[in-house]
């Protein structure tokens, strides 16, 4: 099982962590939410939990709890700029359907 991080996403996470002044990486997870069932969660990590899996790419650690990893296996986290908008984009091969607003998904 694995999760990957594009170089642009790694650069953005590194900038956030530097500006924050602390943290060992970024937690990627899922929670029950939205009209399709699951939503992505991103948060900074200051210390690891017992059930965390750690993936490192481009010098940045992505931390995922084992329950979320089932839904995120094979996902690539990217950071994109589209016109005036910018943000993280999830390329998750497990997604079967997404809601129209893009806030949630099903696997």
């Amino acid at each position: 099982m694995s999760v990957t991080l594009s170089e642009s996403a790694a650069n953005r996470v590194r900038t956030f962590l530097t500006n924050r002044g602390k943290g060992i990486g970024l937690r990627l997870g899922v929670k029950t939410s939205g009209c399709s069932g699951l939503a992505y969660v991103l948060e900074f990590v200051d210390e690891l939990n017992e059930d965390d899996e750690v993936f490192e790419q481009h010098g940045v650690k992505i931390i995922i709890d084992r329950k979320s990893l089932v839904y995120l296996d094979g996902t690539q986290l990217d950071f994109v700029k589209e016109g005036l908008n910018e943000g993280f984009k999830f390329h998750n091969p497990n997604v079967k359907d997404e809601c129209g607003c893009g806030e949630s998904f099903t696997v």
Side-chain angles (χ1 to χ4, degrees):
M1 294 193 144
S2 72
V3 172
T4 58
L5 189 66
S6 73
E7 194 167 340
S8 63
N11 290 337
R12 190 63 171 182
V13 171
R14 195 176 304 106
T15 299
F16 280 138
L17 289 171
T18 300
N19 291 342
R20 188 171 178 256
K22 64 178 182 175
I24 60 172
L26 183 73
R27 179 176 303 282
L28 174 56
V30 295
K31 67 178 182 175
T32 303
S33 178
C35 49
S36 290
L38 297 171
Y40 296 107
V41 176
L42 291 173
E43 59 189 14
F44 296 111
V45 176
D46 294 326
E47 58 183 65
L48 295 175
N49 296 328
E50 192 175 293
D51 68 335
D52 284 338
E53 297 285 334
V54 179
F55 303 93
E56 186 168 347
Q57 279 199 309
H58 308 291
V60 173
K61 290 183 174 127
I62 297 296
I63 296 100
I64 303 175
D65 66 272
R66 287 188 194 117
K67 289 180 184 177
S68 294
L69 188 54
V70 172
Y71 302 105
L72 299 171
D73 184 33
T75 297
Q76 182 193 42
L77 181 61
D78 195 9
F79 185 79
V80 296
K81 292 183 179 185
E82 297 171 341
L84 298 175
N85 298 319
E86 62 181 30
F88 288 103
K89 190 167 217 136
F90 302 88
H91 302 283
N92 186 341
N94 304 303
V95 171
K96 302 291 185 234
D97 197 17
E98 294 178 310
C99 69
C101 63
E103 290 294 317
S104 62
F105 63 95
T106 59
V107 291

